[in-house]
Each structure stands twice: as structure tokens, then as C-alpha cells.
Amino acid sequence: MSTRNDSVEMDLAGPAIVGGSLGGLSMALGLAAKGISSTVLEKSRGRSQRGVAILVSLAGVARTLSPQAMSIVRTELGEAAMNQPLLPHSWWRVYSALHRACEAEPLVTLVDGVEVDAVGQGWVRAADRTWTVPAVIGADGYRSVVRRYVNDSLPDATFAGYTCWLGQSDIPPNAKDAFAHGSDFYDSGPYMLAVYPQIDPDGATRKFGWGLWDPVRRGLFEEIGAVSADGKVLRTPRPDDVPAWVYGEMDEVVGKHWPGQWTEPVAEAFRRRDVLATPIAEYLPERVVNGNVAIIGDAAHVQTPMTGAGFSEAVADAEVLSRMIATAPGYEQALADYEKLRLTDMRRRVSAGMDFSRSFTQ
């Protein structure tokens, strides 16, 4: 159990949301749509652009956000891009759209540079500051601090046994018609390559995201401290953490296993080291609420990106939880109702992803 220490105390009228990525921003906007204020505590000071692409469910986002916030998101992502359900958007554009909507919302307070180290019933602590709050909502990802309080007997996500090398490249001239049906997947030996176009705000596709699924190099990620010997994902390594010879080896893997239109752009990304190596984590929740503390998104249910449902599921969490907070007689009841409504579906989706992981790594 976490304990408070002597620190400067600040009272908040609405929930504290720990984590200011997609799930945390969606949660804040969901609460604002119900007239409820919140404060988002994010440990980073500004985020950098990432090459990950994500599917956006227009209906799910529209159910969660206010019309004003939805108008900002539509403007940022583009009407042409928002009105199609098949092609993914770049992670950075979705993040930027949600962040701008939060900046424009008087009921949302964004606080960067705050690394929360403990939470409890009615409080959040970070270094020399403690916030007194009516509820805590953890949207702090697969290494969630808030999850440790919600379920201290099952606090950690586990390594699924493989890594996904993620990148973004220009669509080569000989592949302009390759994405007629959205994403494509290519198996070869122990590996799999997923390629998917990223839709721009004007509806055009100029870049494609890709993920190379790699079950071979578990030992490497243990050596560089990204995965523990007992199977916990500790961090996503920086590009410089990966030895130079590994990039050379992956360049050769691409040329050997996927000759053709994808070879040069993907191999070139490895040569430039413009690749994010992501050890895949999984977390099957037993509970997602403890009193007036709840977790959502990857803090609650970490699933392989192969499901393609991570963002949509986080938005669904935000929609249900904000609706329960707005209608239940108190926070504890609202959070208990959220768990009743969402836990079964969370477990079903994570279990389906685990089935894929087992089939891929065996």
C-alpha cells in the first residue's frame, strides 16, 4: 500500500488523471463533455513525434467528446480522413488533435513534468507535491503506477515473447496501389511484416507505417535492460540503446525475407536507426478499480498491437467511466459501475491477443 509523505498539498475539485497520452486526454475530454473538471498529470515535458499509426473509430470518439472538442479533432485530422473507417491515422496527429482540444477546454487542466510516484484513496503524490482529489484515474500506460495501487498482487504487465520494430516510410512509387484494402501482412520464417498506409488530413496517403514482428531477439532486450529475466517489460529502449550490429542484422533480415516493394524503405529505416523497438507487453486484468481509484487504457488492459483496438478500447473506457461519474450518486459507485460494465470485454480482448502471441511465438 502507498503512504503519503509531508509535501505541499493542493485540493482539486475534479478527478486527477495520471498520464497525458491518448487515453488520459480522451478521459479528460469525456469528463468535460459531462461538465466535470479534471487535471491531467503528465510526466514528460512535451512529446516527440512517433511513427505509429492507429485506427480511429469516429462513432466512439463522437460518443465521448463534446461537439466543440469533436470539431477541433475533425479540423486537425481532416474531414476526408475522419469520414473513412479503413485507413489508420498517424499517432502524432491523433495526439495533437486531442491535446489541442484539451487546451481549448476550460474544464481541463494540463500539467506537464509531473512524475507521479504514488496514489491512494483521495490523493496523488509526485515528489514534493500532493494533490487531494475526489478520484484518481490512471491512464499511465503499461508500466502504470496507479495499477500498483488498484491491484498490488498483480501490478506488472508481462513480456509477450516478441518485439515489434516500428517505423514510418514514404510509400514507394511502385507501391502506390498496394493499399486498396488497407493493411497487409507478410509472414516469412519466424517473422511477420505488417504494412499500413497513413491517411493525411486531405485524404491522401503519402507515408506508410510498418511493424516488423520479431520473436528471435528476447535475449537482446534482456541484455539492454528493456525486459527483465522474469518476463516483465521494463521500458521501451531508445534507438541508441540498441547495438549498431543489430540494425545491420535487421537490414539483412528485411532483404532476405521481403524482397520487393517494401524492401528498400524498411531496410533504409534500419540503416538510419529511425526505428522504435517495442517489446510487446500484455496485461490481463483481474480488477480495474479500488475504491475511488480506477485505471483505463493500457494501464488497465495491455494487449498486443496486432488487435488494432488499443485506442478504440481506451476511448470506450473513457466514455463509460465519464458517463458513470456523471450519473452515479458518488465516485466509488461510479467507478464500481465502470468496472462491471467494462471488465469482461477488457479480458476478452486481451485474451484474444494472448492467443495470437502464443501462436506467433511457438
Side-chain angles (χ1 to χ4, degrees):
M1 298 289 275
S2 304
T3 58
R4 294 165 65 174
N5 62 358
D6 293 331
S7 60
V8 177
E9 292 206 10
M10 291 167 278
D11 292 334
L12 299 180
I17 300 170
V18 181
S21 190
L22 303 186
L25 297 177
S26 298
M27 185 72 238
L29 292 169
L31 289 170
K34 305 297 185 185
I36 301 165
S37 66
S38 65
T39 299
V40 180
L41 306 175
E42 166 57 35
K43 68 179 180 180
S44 67
R45 291 187 181 276
R47 288 179 173 267
S48 59
Q49 186 164 348
R50 295 168 62 180
V52 181
I54 56 175
L55 289 169
V56 176
S57 166
L58 176 60
V61 175
R63 280 195 301 270
T64 307
L65 274 57
S66 69
Q68 294 81 0
M70 194 64 197
S71 176
I72 293 172
V73 170
R74 279 185 170 276
T75 299
E76 293 293 325
L77 295 184
E79 287 289 339
M82 285 291 287
N83 289 332
Q84 59 79 40
L86 184 63
L87 303 181
H89 304 252
S90 78
W91 183 95
W92 179 250
R93 284 202 177 95
V94 177
Y95 169 78
S96 298
L98 294 173
H99 197 272
R100 289 194 175 99
C102 282
E103 289 177 321
E105 175 51 67
L107 291 172
V108 176
T109 300
L110 301 174
V111 184
D112 290 341
V114 174
E115 186 164 1
V116 170
D117 54 44
V119 305
Q121 295 297 318
W123 59 271
V124 175
R125 187 187 70 199
D128 60 348
R129 285 181 283 180
T130 299
W131 288 264
T132 301
V133 297
V136 180
I137 301 169
D140 48 341
Y142 71 88
R143 293 180 294 136
S144 173
V145 171
V146 182
R147 189 199 300 133
R148 298 175 199 163
Y149 180 84
V150 169
N151 189 352
D152 60 3
S153 66
L154 189 66
D156 298 311
T158 56
F159 183 46
Y162 57 100
T163 296
C164 188
W165 301 85
L166 293 167
Q168 175 180 268
S169 304
D170 292 330
I171 297 176
N174 63 342
K176 292 295 184 182
D177 298 323
F179 294 118
H181 304 291
S183 303
D184 280 317
F185 300 88
Y186 303 91
D187 290 308
S188 182
Y191 304 101
M192 181 169 63
L193 179 68
V195 295
Y196 37 86
Q198 295 182 352
I199 191 164
D200 288 338
D202 61 0
T205 53
R206 300 174 178 88
K207 291 184 176 294
F208 71 101
W210 53 266
L212 197 163
W213 304 81
D214 176 7
V216 175
R217 290 166 182 78
R218 173 173 181 147
L220 165 69
F221 292 96
E222 289 183 8
E223 289 174 13
I224 64 177
V227 175
S228 67
D230 60 349
K232 297 181 179 66
V233 178
L234 304 177
R235 62 187 178 89
T236 297
R238 298 182 299 272
D240 288 347
D241 293 334
V242 178
W245 64 265
V246 175
Y247 291 106
E249 190 173 81
M250 294 307 299
D251 180 2
E252 294 177 4
V253 165
V254 173
K256 176 182 177 181
H257 288 272
W258 295 286
Q261 57 197 357
W262 311 120
T263 305
E264 185 54 31
V266 174
E268 177 60 24
F270 278 109
R271 292 180 209 126
R272 296 196 314 267
R273 304 189 189 184
D274 189 16
V275 181
L276 185 66
T278 306
I280 301 302
E282 294 174 323
Y283 184 79
L284 183 66
E286 295 176 343
R287 59 187 301 185
V288 292
V289 167
N290 182 355
N292 64 0
V293 181
I295 48 179
I296 69 168
D298 281 352
H301 44 86
V302 188
Q303 54 198 338
T304 172
M306 187 55 66
T307 66
F311 177 59
S312 295
E313 289 298 294
V315 171
D317 294 344
E319 190 278 323
V320 171
L321 183 50
S322 59
R323 177 158 45 90
M324 294 302 101
I325 290 173
T327 57
Y331 278 100
E332 286 202 24
Q333 184 60 57
L335 270 56
D337 291 344
Y338 156 72
E339 184 175 67
K340 289 177 183 176
L341 289 170
R342 289 291 297 149
L343 184 58
T344 298
D345 193 51
M346 292 176 185
R347 289 181 58 84
R348 178 179 62 82
R349 286 192 177 272
V350 174
S351 295
M354 287 178 162
D355 288 343
F356 165 80
S357 295
R358 281 191 291 269
S359 68
F360 184 61
T361 55
Q362 289 174 354

